[in-house]
Amino acid sequence: MDILRRMAEYRSQEDTLKWEGTFSEYVELVKERPWIAQSAHSRVYNMIKEAGVEDRNGKRDYLFFKNQLFGLEEPLEKLVEEYFHPAARRLDVKKRILLLMGPVSGGKSTLVTMMKRGMENYSRTDKGAVYAIKGCPMHEDPLHLIPHALREDFYKEYGIRIEGNLSPLNLMRLEKEFDGQIENVPVERIFFSEDKRVGIGTFSPSDPKSQDIADLTGSLDFSTIAEYGSESDPRAYRFDGELNKANRGMMEFQEMLKCDEKFLWHLLSLTQEGNFKAGRFALISADEMIVAHTNETEYRSFISNRKNEALHSRIIVMPIPYNLQVTQEEKIYEKLISESDVSDVHIAPHTLRIAAMFTILTRLKEPKRKDIDLIKKMRLYDGEQVEGFNSADLEELKREYEDEGMTGIDPRYVINRISSTIIRKEVSSINALDVLRSLKEGLDQHASITKDVKEAYLGFISLARREFDDMAKKEVQKAFVYSYEESAKTLMDNYLDNVEAYCHKSKLRDPLTGEEMTPDEKLMRSIEEQIGISENAKKAFREEILIRISTYARKGQRFEYQSHDRLREAIQKKLFADLKDVVKITTSSKTPDEQQLKKMNEVIARLIDEHGYNTTSANELLKYVGSLLNR
């Protein structure tokens, strides 16, 4: 890439977006494109909506957040539908501070950063264009120039409501520079930029003794008082506080509840009336969305303080819990690793998934229902089909605890342990056992974990280890089966032929000799016993299989061995059971013979070519499965 040429092209594109004109020319623009006069909240909502919306089982996924935030589809849908949308429609919600509450490393800061970057990009589009009075440090809305007496008529003609008063500085400029002739006031297109402090502000609390309220509202420029002769002259005031600079866009109030109370008082008027007090001036109008974030402990402390009651009603709290889906947690780790300098290290298949299982188990609460355990709950939350449960059961589980996902292990801890594993092992490959071992060792160094919690977490590591053991055995056993799908299909077809003959009380015909045979009860039971079908229940199970086959046939669909969850499990377990001895002998032999060595090499090649392992991780997997089968 020719970076210098690309930079020149970028500057050229930026120049084409610039616009300057008079207020009268701006009014013509508003007539053609009324959306350019939208409020800050409306701009945020439209930015999110125009990125795309997908329907998911009656729920909405907003694509603006895709590939950055994982497993937060429901909280994000609630955020958009219950805050951004009504605020964009000028409902009372827009007069509230948006407070994102959730555990550390849960995605709050990432969400706010995404919105800030999104606003910067959106202001460079036609739909997101923003215009301001030229030379105004607060990037004031040009429509504020229209006198209050004319605003109702303007609304009737243009359909645009004007809220807010002209700032003290622009009021003086209008009188002194333009002799009250509004139509001549210059207007320009502005582009949001956090770095340049245009339309995006960030306030972070520091020591209350040293931090000045001017950080929020601006301050007097003492060097100009002698020139202008008065502290109440707006030209002697620096409108450079975060509330000033965030006007027309959004301001992030980091750790808002850690702030000294006097910093929060200014938010009372800003949220309810859309203005704030600064210096010796009238109230200054501001159109901006304030987003704050905090954790649950600080929020509980805040609402318990009666002195904060006035601010309570001006806050809308949106819980941002941890992700509770294993698959989505895995994507979080993949994203964080891809952004690091260790992205070239080979991570064996299932490694991140097993780490994610441990993490999700720490966040889930024990089900109140006796017929489900944490592992089943974890699988249901991840969208897996669990025998005996349906979507209604899933919704019931989600309703059991309102605060589920607000505690548990955070992604940073897991990534830190994965990083530690990569650095310490000093090889080009790590596996699930390496990471589980590192997670276990790291619990001793985790300052916030009590003894009881640590014991519970060690239990979750054991559960995750058992899940990995099952995955590892199945992976190796699959690799040992040549044409696994064909073997499974053959076994299923044989079983179904026998089941059909059994249920219809008929005979089978030998394909080679043509002789009639009775159904092979031994074969059928060897498969059914794999999933615990008792002698008394076998007839009902076989009849249910035939009903399922006829249902598929009526719909013109082909019945495969994966079409029935329990039958699929039985077929797999039967295949694996038949292979167990072969796998055991081959993987555990210290001095394999030529045939065993050939088989081992075939399995390793298949693990590499079809399952994503490299030579090191494939060999480690074979050795581990061999040790499991020898126990």
Side-chain angles (χ1 to χ4, degrees):
M1 182 178 76
D2 184 349
I3 187 64
L4 297 178
R5 178 178 59 80
R6 293 289 297 274
M7 286 177 65
E9 290 174 356
Y10 175 77
R11 284 196 303 271
S12 177
Q13 290 172 358
E14 289 285 289
D15 289 340
T16 61
L17 295 176
K18 292 178 180 178
W19 183 92
E20 285 189 20
T22 62
F23 179 75
S24 58
E25 291 172 322
Y26 171 69
V27 171
E28 291 302 314
L29 276 183
V30 172
K31 189 183 295 185
E32 294 172 14
R33 298 183 290 163
W35 61 81
I36 64 177
Q38 63 188 322
S39 67
H41 289 82
S42 177
R43 194 172 288 111
V44 173
Y45 173 67
N46 288 329
M47 170 190 72
I48 294 170
K49 189 179 68 172
E50 287 173 23
V53 185
E54 285 183 353
D55 285 328
R56 172 180 49 88
N57 300 324
K59 297 182 179 180
R60 292 181 172 183
D61 282 349
Y62 289 91
L63 302 185
F64 177 82
F65 307 105
K66 197 172 184 180
N67 300 325
Q68 291 294 323
L69 293 169
F70 302 97
L72 295 178
E73 290 81 10
E74 291 182 18
L76 291 173
E77 180 185 16
K78 184 178 179 183
L79 174 64
V80 175
E81 298 299 328
E82 295 186 14
Y83 182 80
F84 291 133
H85 191 187
R89 302 293 293 272
R90 296 181 183 271
L91 293 172
D92 218 44
V93 172
K94 71 170 290 190
K95 298 178 180 178
R96 307 288 182 269
I97 297 167
L98 174 61
L99 179 63
L100 305 176
M101 182 187 69
V104 295
S105 192
K108 303 184 297 296
S109 297
T110 302
L111 171 57
V112 176
T113 300
M114 285 184 69
M115 288 196 293
K116 289 195 288 189
R117 296 294 86 78
M119 289 288 278
E120 289 177 342
N121 294 328
Y122 192 57
S123 70
R124 285 165 169 75
T125 68
D126 182 59
K127 289 288 187 181
V130 188
Y131 295 81
I133 297 173
K134 187 176 180 181
C136 174
M138 287 184 58
H139 337 294
E140 188 165 8
D141 185 348
L143 295 183
H144 283 184
L145 290 162
I146 297 177
H148 283 272
L150 302 178
R151 290 184 179 183
E152 187 62 31
D153 293 335
F154 185 84
Y155 172 67
K156 289 176 181 177
E157 183 174 348
Y158 291 88
I160 296 170
R161 293 191 184 277
I162 304 172
E163 296 179 349
N165 300 316
L166 200 60
S167 68
L169 180 61
N170 286 322
L171 189 59
M172 176 177 280
R173 289 177 64 200
L174 177 61
E175 294 173 355
K176 293 195 172 185
E177 294 181 30
F178 305 101
D179 197 26
Q181 297 182 23
I182 294 171
E183 62 274 17
N184 294 331
V185 175
V187 175
E188 65 178 348
R189 182 175 179 180
I190 62 171
F191 306 100
F192 288 164
S193 169
E194 185 176 21
D195 293 338
K196 296 178 181 178
R197 303 185 73 209
V198 177
I200 297 176
T202 303
F203 182 80
S204 183
S206 60
D207 183 1
K209 295 178 181 178
S210 61
Q211 190 157 36
D212 192 346
I213 197 69
D215 294 344
L216 271 181
T217 61
S219 62
L220 277 170
D221 185 351
F222 291 100
S223 66
T224 61
I225 292 176
E227 180 184 351
Y228 298 116
S230 171
E231 292 184 11
S232 61
D233 190 312
R235 293 171 297 179
Y237 197 84
R238 293 195 301 252
F239 295 89
D240 59 357
E242 295 304 320
L243 293 179
N244 307 106
K245 293 301 183 182
N247 188 34
R248 311 296 302 285
M250 63 177 286
M251 189 189 85
E252 176 188 8
F253 212 127
Q254 296 179 346
E255 301 298 341
M256 185 182 84
L257 304 186
K258 285 189 173 78
C259 260
D260 189 72
E261 289 176 11
K262 68 176 183 290
F263 286 91
L264 302 181
W265 294 338
H266 284 275
L267 302 181
L268 297 176
S269 175
L270 178 62
T271 52
Q272 193 62 36
E273 307 298 336
N275 51 46
F276 63 93
K277 191 77 172 70
R280 299 177 181 180
F281 309 115
L283 290 168
I284 298 174
S285 297
D287 172 30
E288 57 196 77
M289 182 180 74
I290 299 179
V291 184
H293 41 85
T294 188
N295 59 53
E296 189 172 9
T297 304
E298 286 177 348
Y299 178 69
R300 299 299 172 204
S301 174
F302 173 76
I303 60 174
S304 65
N305 186 347
R306 295 182 65 85
K307 290 195 295 184
N308 297 323
E309 284 183 352
L311 200 57
H312 293 177
S313 62
R314 290 171 170 84
I315 292 176
I316 283 189
V317 180
M318 283 290 171
I320 305 293
Y322 283 133
N323 156 58
L324 296 176
Q325 299 171 46
V326 173
T327 303
Q328 297 298 317
E329 188 73 11
E330 198 176 354
K331 290 178 181 177
I332 294 174
Y333 303 155
E334 288 171 352
K335 172 178 173 277
L336 293 173
I337 289 170
S338 69
E339 295 170 351
S340 71
D341 290 335
V342 294
S343 55
D344 58 331
V345 173
H346 173 76
I347 298 177
H350 310 305
T351 299
L352 298 182
R353 185 165 188 81
I354 293 300
M357 283 184 176
F358 160 72
T359 309
I360 299 302
L361 287 170
T362 69
R363 299 171 184 171
L364 294 177
K365 297 203 172 194
E366 198 69 40
K368 294 178 181 178
R369 290 174 52 167
K370 302 299 182 186
D371 60 340
I372 187 167
D373 57 24
L374 270 181
I375 292 292
K376 286 181 180 177
K377 183 176 182 177
M378 177 186 73
R379 295 189 186 286
L380 282 169
Y381 273 31
D382 201 37
E384 291 186 37
Q385 295 295 322
V386 178
E387 191 72 27
F389 298 94
N390 55 34
S391 58
D393 296 304
L394 175 59
E395 293 304 315
E396 183 184 335
L397 283 170
K398 288 181 177 180
R399 288 194 298 268
E400 284 185 343
Y401 301 98
E402 289 186 2
D403 61 342
E404 190 168 47
M406 300 299 278
T407 58
I409 289 291
D410 63 278
R412 286 184 193 140
Y413 171 78
V414 178
I415 286 297
N416 289 344
R417 300 316 302 169
I418 291 173
S419 302
S420 175
T421 305
I422 291 171
I423 300 301
R424 185 172 52 187
K425 198 172 179 187
E426 294 184 345
V427 293
S428 60
S429 174
I430 64 168
N431 58 41
L433 293 178
D434 296 325
V435 172
L436 286 176
R437 196 177 300 115
S438 183
L439 288 170
K440 184 177 180 181
E441 293 169 357
L443 294 178
D444 293 326
Q445 305 162 20
H446 206 298
S448 63
I449 293 181
T450 64
K451 184 179 179 181
D452 291 342
V453 173
K454 180 184 174 183
E455 288 180 5
Y457 285 3
L458 289 173
F460 296 146
I461 287 177
S462 297
L463 285 176
R465 170 75 175 267
R466 286 207 291 272
E467 290 295 307
F468 175 66
D469 289 351
D470 289 341
M471 287 182 186
K473 283 187 282 189
K474 287 180 181 178
E475 196 99 295
V476 171
Q477 287 163 336
K478 280 183 183 180
F480 264 86
V481 178
Y482 181 75
S483 300
Y484 174 76
E485 296 294 328
E486 286 76 5
S487 301
K489 184 179 180 302
T490 301
L491 183 57
M492 184 198 73
D493 289 343
N494 198 359
Y495 172 76
L496 293 180
D497 287 344
N498 282 275
V499 164
E500 188 174 10
Y502 168 85
C503 291
H504 293 158
K505 295 184 171 58
S506 60
K507 300 272 188 179
L508 289 168
R509 190 171 295 279
D510 189 302
L512 296 177
T513 64
E515 294 179 11
E516 288 190 336
M517 304 180 300
T518 57
D520 190 340
E521 184 66 22
K522 186 177 179 181
L523 169 70
M524 290 186 287
R525 291 303 294 145
S526 71
I527 292 173
E528 292 158 357
E529 285 170 353
Q530 300 293 332
I531 52 172
I533 302 295
S534 66
E535 185 71 25
N536 293 332
K538 69 180 184 182
K539 184 173 184 292
F541 179 74
R542 294 169 186 175
E543 289 173 346
E544 195 266 327
I545 292 289
L546 282 188
I547 292 171
R548 182 74 67 89
I549 292 172
S550 63
T551 301
Y552 269 72
R554 281 201 310 274
K555 295 179 180 179
Q557 298 173 350
R558 181 177 175 81
F559 185 86
E560 306 285 353
Y561 93 97
Q562 298 105 324
S563 302
H564 191 287
D565 289 340
R566 299 198 73 197
L567 178 58
R568 180 192 64 205
E569 183 184 355
I571 295 289
Q572 289 178 343
K573 285 187 173 181
K574 171 61 177 168
L575 278 175
F576 295 160
D578 293 344
L579 275 170
K580 186 174 180 180
D581 290 337
V582 178
V583 176
K584 183 177 175 181
I585 293 169
T586 308
T587 57
S588 61
S589 177
K590 292 182 180 178
T591 54
D593 59 30
E594 187 177 341
Q595 187 175 0
Q596 288 173 338
L597 197 60
K598 181 181 178 183
K599 188 68 176 174
M600 288 273 279
N601 289 334
E602 287 177 0
V603 170
I604 288 172
R606 196 165 291 123
L607 287 171
I608 293 171
D609 296 340
E610 299 177 15
H611 299 280
Y613 291 83
N614 68 1
T615 305
T616 303
S617 59
N619 274 291
E620 288 174 342
L621 181 71
L622 280 178
K623 289 177 184 176
Y624 180 65
V625 170
S627 69
L628 287 177
L629 296 177
N630 275 306
R631 290 175 188 173

